[in-house]
Amino acid sequence: MTSEQQKRVLVTGGTGLVGSAIKYVIENESNKKNQNEEYFFISSSECDLRNREQTEALFKKYQPTHVIHLAALVGGLFRNLSRNLDFFRDNMQINDNILYVAYQTGVKKVISCLSTCIFPDKTTYPIDETMIHNGAPHDSNFGYSYAKRMIDVLNKGYAVQHNVHYTSIIPTNVFGPNDNFNIEDGHVLPGLIHKCYLAKKNNTPLIIWGSGKPLRQFIYSYDLARLCLWVLREYDSIEPIILSVGEEDEVSIKEAAEAVVKGMDFQGEVKYDTTKADGQFKKTASNKKLRSYLPDFKFTPFEEAIKYTCDWFVKNYDKARK
Ligand code: NAP
Ligand code: GDP
């Protein structure tokens, strides 16, 4: 192969839940195909991507040909509820900087990350890739949702005006090692794992927030990482693609909590605090498009992935983000 075919892949958000899973998969499941790829995993301590000059300096330093853009202000329902404006402003700045500097420096491919929680609140199900802009998002996370939707607008703009083909992926709720296990700020699964750990230690009940009735499709971070690498290597459209388990694998928050209870081997009392918000009831997504490309991709069974994540948290309690 010539050096021109060498990929220099910059992974923004490289220290987060998804970025660290990609690093793990690259380092542990490497195959011949990726021998001509060099990866650079970046955290906010190296570059604040809200800042244009720092972003330009980052691209000058690494000279990427490809970017997996994961960096974002991210959080669970309760962090979104309290900081919608920050979610909008930070993510708009980060995304505009990344795509503009990538375009200016001749990056060939950028994969940015949307989320199934940005889709219209009032919609038909299952959600698919064509429905992103069809109506207002759920009020609880409107800042994050509108900022993420603008990535799709930017991708279209760069394609139409500059003939540059940048794309996006749409994962459902992600979980796994290196998640943000902070109880107030994090997503439901890391929050429940942490709360279960404390309930077990202190001999107190596990409190699940809300009614337990909302439905979610959860994707294990390592499965998502494998799919991100497939998108990097094989997926050539600028149109977004949903990366999700099937509709039949949707579970209630109650069922997810039961998997955590089992994974943590928690024998104590479980209670619901219905004074806490439920958020969006469901955001059932279709993975038909993904399946049309990868009919045989095997997702890790949910309970197995939960068990691995629980064990990781217990083992890494001191260093885990919390
Ligand atoms: P995460 O664990 O919270 O990690 C966020 C990453 O972004 C960290 O590496 C963080 O760096 C970096 N970052 C944040 N602000 C930054 C800034 N101003 N400048 C530079 N870097 C910054 O997030 P994640 O769960 O892996 O999410 C990755 C992507 O997936 C995001 O785009 C998110 O919107 C999307 N997504 C996530 C979920 C989910 O359930 N988690 C679901 C759908 C889509 P530090 O480590 O230095 O803080
Ligand atoms: P979402 O999927 O974007 O809404 O975000 P989350 O991952 O934060 O999931 C929120 C759902 O889980 C809501 O129905 C919450 O009521 C419920 N939930 C139950 N316990 C917890 C918890 O400890 N933390 C969080 N973040 N949500 C919880």
Side-chain angles (χ1 to χ4, degrees):
M1 284 203 182
T2 66
S3 60
E4 275 161 20
Q5 287 168 298
Q6 168 106 23
K7 287 188 189 131
R8 294 174 63 80
V9 187
L10 182 73
V11 184
T12 73
T15 46
L17 167 65
V18 184
S20 63
I22 292 180
K23 191 160 193 263
Y24 178 89
V25 169
I26 289 293
E27 286 171 0
N28 294 282
E29 300 177 12
S30 101
N31 58 33
K32 279 196 177 152
K33 263 190 165 172
N34 64 29
Q35 282 178 359
N36 212 22
E37 295 166 352
E38 194 174 357
Y39 284 83
F40 308 99
F41 293 88
I42 303 306
S43 77
S44 66
S45 61
E46 181 164 4
C47 171
D48 183 347
L49 293 166
R50 293 171 300 182
N51 180 292
R52 175 66 57 86
E53 286 73 33
Q54 288 187 34
T55 309
E56 284 169 347
L58 181 79
F59 276 64
K60 199 169 176 193
K61 179 174 174 190
Y62 291 105
Q63 309 209 342
T65 58
H66 293 65
V67 178
I68 300 178
H69 171 40
L70 306 170
L73 180 59
V74 181
L77 169 63
F78 299 92
R79 193 183 202 194
N80 274 274
L81 278 168
S82 63
R83 292 183 60 193
N84 262 297
L85 178 64
D86 294 342
F87 273 88
F88 183 73
R89 296 192 66 232
D90 282 15
N91 288 323
M92 287 289 287
Q93 285 175 335
I94 290 173
N95 299 333
D96 188 45
N97 283 339
I98 283 290
L99 289 169
Y100 184 69
V101 177
Y103 160 65
Q104 281 214 313
T105 56
V107 169
K108 289 191 185 113
K109 186 166 185 173
V110 181
I111 300 161
S112 301
C113 210
L114 315 184
S115 165
T116 50
C117 66
I118 70 163
F119 278 88
D121 180 35
K122 295 189 176 41
T123 184
T124 53
Y125 296 99
I127 288 160
D128 70 38
E129 290 84 351
T130 65
M131 296 157 77
I132 296 176
H133 304 286
N134 286 359
H138 195 264
D139 239 8
S140 58
N141 64 353
F142 69 87
Y144 177 81
S145 299
Y146 279 119
K148 287 285 186 183
R149 287 180 185 193
M150 289 309 115
I151 289 179
D152 184 55
V153 174
L154 287 165
N155 284 344
K156 286 205 173 104
Y158 281 107
V160 170
Q161 199 170 322
H162 297 302
N163 198 26
V164 175
H165 289 185
Y166 296 156
T167 193
S168 61
I169 54 174
I170 313 180
T172 49
N173 288 52
V174 191
F175 71 99
N178 296 302
D179 206 340
N180 179 4
F181 290 85
N182 183 287
I183 291 173
E184 298 301 324
D185 289 347
H187 288 99
V188 56
L189 286 174
L192 288 177
I193 291 171
H194 192 177
K195 287 199 282 193
C196 205
Y197 176 94
L198 295 177
K200 203 171 161 179
K201 189 169 147 207
N202 301 327
N203 210 9
T204 51
L206 166 65
I207 313 288
I208 297 163
W209 292 343
S211 67
K213 289 180 183 156
L215 302 171
R216 296 290 183 268
Q217 284 156 301
F218 292 102
I219 182 167
Y220 188 36
S221 57
Y222 290 8
D223 290 338
L224 179 57
R226 293 173 189 119
L227 291 172
C228 283
L229 294 175
W230 167 76
V231 171
L232 179 78
R233 294 166 184 158
E234 315 276 350
Y235 181 74
D236 280 330
S237 165
I238 67 160
E239 297 300 330
I241 181 163
I242 291 174
L243 303 181
S244 171
V245 298
E247 291 157 61
E248 66 283 3
D249 293 317
E250 189 170 55
V251 295
S252 66
I253 297 297
K254 180 172 185 283
E255 288 167 323
E258 283 164 0
V260 169
V261 164
K262 195 171 163 200
M264 293 294 287
D265 192 22
F266 177 66
Q267 311 288 342
E269 191 184 357
V270 176
K271 288 181 167 175
Y272 287 83
D273 178 354
T274 51
T275 64
K276 293 274 195 181
D278 264 348
Q280 211 165 350
F281 179 65
K282 65 177 183 176
K283 35 194 178 176
T284 319
S286 164
N287 70 357
K288 205 169 155 192
K289 181 170 177 178
L290 174 67
R291 282 298 185 204
S292 73
Y293 289 98
L294 295 178
D296 299 324
F297 183 84
K298 296 242 175 325
F299 289 94
T300 310
F302 182 58
E303 284 202 1
E304 191 185 304
I306 288 283
K307 175 71 182 144
Y308 188 90
T309 308
C310 290
D311 289 349
W312 182 91
F313 181 67
V314 172
K315 198 168 156 212
N316 295 281
Y317 184 75
D318 289 338
K319 71 164 194 190
R321 240 188 319 163
K322 55 188 188 305

